[in-house]
């Protein structure tokens, strides 16, 4: 009877150790992955914001150009630039 209890205690200790090691490894891999995903998201967000800002500025420039020049002249000038 004593050997059965000792065997169960050793199995329980091994299970606890395995559980702890698995969780520590999970934590060690989860947080660096989380940090890199957040960084990638922030970079993508910055690129999208810059692109939207650039598009807004281009629309403003085109409106300014159309307010100064007739449309057909402005479009020819825009095509020459492109």
């Amino acid at each position: 009877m004593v050997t059965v209890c000792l065997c169960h205690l050793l199995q329980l200790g091994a299970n606890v150790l395995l559980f702890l090691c698995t969780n520590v490894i999970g934590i060690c891999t989860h947080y660096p992955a989380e940090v890199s995903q957040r960084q990638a998201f922030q970079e993508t967000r910055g690129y999208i914001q810059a692109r939207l800002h650039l598009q807004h500025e281009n629309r403003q420039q085109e409106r300014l150009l159309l307010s100064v020049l007739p449309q057909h002249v402005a479009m020819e000038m825009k095509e020459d630039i492109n």
Side-chain angles (χ1 to χ4, degrees):
M1 190 102 181
V2 174
T3 58
V4 173
C5 290
L6 182 61
C7 182
H8 286 290
L9 286 177
L10 287 175
Q11 184 65 45
L12 180 63
N15 287 345
V16 168
L17 183 63
L18 181 64
F19 177 76
L20 289 175
C21 290
T22 304
N23 282 320
V24 167
I25 290 171
I27 289 169
C28 290
T29 58
H30 174 74
Y31 286 111
E34 181 75 20
V35 168
S36 66
Q37 286 176 352
R38 285 178 189 264
Q39 183 180 5
F41 174 77
Q42 294 293 335
E43 288 176 3
T44 303
R45 182 176 168 207
Y47 295 144
I48 291 171
Q49 285 179 338
R51 183 173 181 197
L52 290 175
H53 182 69
L54 184 62
Q55 288 175 347
H56 178 71
E57 286 184 358
N58 286 341
R59 282 194 302 270
Q60 283 182 331
Q61 288 177 355
E62 188 172 331
R63 273 185 267 153
L64 178 62
L65 188 64
L66 288 173
S67 71
V68 175
L69 298 173
Q71 185 175 5
H72 69 281
V73 175
M75 289 304 140
E76 285 180 25
M77 190 173 158
K78 186 177 173 184
E79 288 175 11
D80 288 343
I81 292 172
N82 290 337

